[in-house]
Amino acid sequence: MAGRFDPLTRAAVRGGRTDVPPGRGSTAGAGAKERHWAPDGPLDLGLTLGPLRRGPADPTFRTTPDGSVWRTGRTPQGPATLRVSRAGEQVHAEAWGPGADWFLEQLPALLGAGDDPTAFVPRHRLVHASHRRRPGLRLTRTGLVLESLIPTVLEQKVTADEAYRAWRRLVRQYGEPAPGPAGGPEAYVVPEPRTWAMIPSWDWHKAGVDAKRSATIVRAARVANRLEEAAAMDLPGAVRRLEAVPGIGPWTSAETLQRSNGHPDAITTGDLHLPGIVGYALAGDRDADDAAMLELLAPYAGQRHRAARLVLLAGHTPPRRAPRMPRGDIGRF
């Protein structure tokens, strides 16, 4: 699912919400290219852009007290920084760097303009209540595959804290400072594909990334151009393109395409927690597996990702009955 679920706090981290402070967003500074855009319905910036944040100290994403959301990225035209804030009924965006024009052109898609929330019909009381409380939920579409794929691979079979720590370390070490103000001096743009492919084994180790995950990232970086084409494909074609890379399976492809393609039916399977959460919330079955989860979500065909997000945002999770997943750091060895 969009974001990670914390089984200890049972917070809706996995539902993909980021708190955006109230505010109108002051002008950030000179040198920015600007765009104003009016959404055609309710828009919650925290819910829509939250899935792009990889932990509270993500160097590619942050919020500021004036109500702004800052995001950096490596676009087809080069690195860029984007700042988004509400200005009454409109969204005000500013962008810096060689990729500024690309970021501004993609702004509506990023904020869910291609998403159709009216196509969703709640079939369960809990889903209906969660849906009613969040009219501003739109599914983001970044149009960028690798920037979502790499942190998703880092999240394979480890705790959220381990994955976020690895992401921070690698982006800060091998990325580049973000153009423009970027909300602070700690903002970075993700490394280019060739740089990911050239990271030495000892730096993967120091970041706590095992050989299997690092090898998957290197393989993906070497075919980055082919993977980026998946952003313009339908869901089955995009899944096949990503899963052609060894080490990328259904869990990783779904988590990636939820962000890059914004597809409302890109449901995550193979997850440790999600089937039990959905099963418990919709049928009282905390031991549900993928098959049971997909059966429960069958009435939402075409919208299963959105339905699962609403379940997670509802926060109705089973009580813990086993120790939390142990945390490790292979970089210490």
Side-chain angles (χ1 to χ4, degrees):
M1 286 301 305
R4 296 278 287 185
F5 174 75
D6 188 335
L8 179 65
T9 64
R10 290 186 273 288
V13 175
R14 190 87 195 266
R17 180 183 181 89
T18 291
D19 290 329
V20 178
R24 296 179 59 87
S26 57
T27 301
K33 296 184 176 182
E34 299 183 66
R35 178 176 182 178
H36 286 84
W37 177 72
D40 60 1
L43 173 65
D44 186 315
L45 291 179
L47 281 173
T48 301
L49 298 179
L52 304 181
R53 187 175 205 165
R54 306 291 183 152
D58 185 350
T60 71
F61 187 107
R62 67 184 59 210
T63 61
T64 48
D66 65 353
S68 298
V69 177
W70 295 78
R71 159 174 158 73
T72 72
R74 188 170 295 280
T75 78
Q77 297 175 3
T81 297
L82 178 71
R83 173 183 175 271
V84 180
S85 61
R86 294 303 299 260
E89 296 300 316
Q90 291 191 324
V91 172
H92 179 215
E94 296 172 287
W96 296 260
D101 289 332
W102 191 93
F103 256 170
L104 293 178
E105 182 181 352
Q106 297 296 317
L107 179 69
L110 183 73
L111 298 180
D115 182 32
D116 181 14
T118 63
F120 182 77
V121 179
R123 305 290 185 181
H124 297 83
R125 181 177 300 177
L126 177 140
V127 176
H128 178 74
S130 183
H131 182 249
R132 186 181 66 249
R133 289 196 298 268
R134 298 169 178 87
L137 171 62
R138 297 291 187 98
L139 301 183
T140 186
R141 180 180 184 136
T142 67
L144 299 170
V145 174
L146 203 67
E147 72 166 25
S148 292
L149 175 63
I150 290 176
T152 300
V153 172
L154 292 176
E155 293 174 2
Q156 292 176 346
K157 300 183 184 301
V158 297
T159 65
D161 283 350
E162 291 175 85
Y164 295 157
R165 182 172 63 243
W167 175 246
R168 290 194 301 268
R169 178 172 185 140
L170 292 168
V171 171
R172 288 171 177 165
Q173 183 173 357
Y174 287 99
E176 60 189 91
E186 294 300 315
Y188 286 81
V189 177
V190 295
E192 59 183 356
R194 177 177 171 80
T195 301
W196 283 113
M198 298 297 291
I199 295 176
S201 60
W202 52 87
D203 278 342
W204 288 114
H205 186 84
K206 290 177 182 178
V209 182
D210 57 66
K212 183 177 180 180
R213 287 180 291 154
S214 63
T216 299
I217 292 172
V218 170
R219 285 192 291 265
R222 287 174 176 167
V223 293
N225 290 338
R226 294 284 288 164
L227 294 182
E228 292 296 345
E229 293 173 358
M233 296 179 178
D234 61 13
L235 184 60
V239 168
R240 287 193 297 270
R241 179 63 60 89
L242 266 62
E243 293 182 11
V245 178
I248 298 177
W251 185 90
T252 304
S253 64
E255 293 280 316
T256 300
L257 296 173
Q258 288 164 9
R259 298 168 173 85
S260 63
N261 292 34
H263 201 290
D265 202 45
I267 181 65
T268 301
T269 57
D271 192 84
L272 180 62
H273 302 290
L274 184 61
I277 296 170
V278 173
Y280 181 79
L282 301 186
D285 180 10
R286 63 179 299 158
D287 297 316
D289 57 10
D290 278 341
M293 176 183 72
L294 293 177
E295 183 177 352
L296 287 168
L297 294 177
Y300 301 103
Q303 294 280 328
R304 293 176 298 174
H305 167 47
R306 190 193 308 276
R309 272 200 74 185
L310 290 168
V311 169
L312 290 170
L313 288 165
H316 190 65
T317 59
R320 288 179 61 223
R321 63 182 181 189
R324 68 182 302 192
M325 183 177 180
R327 299 181 181 183
D329 183 2
I330 66 171
R332 296 179 179 178
F333 298 99

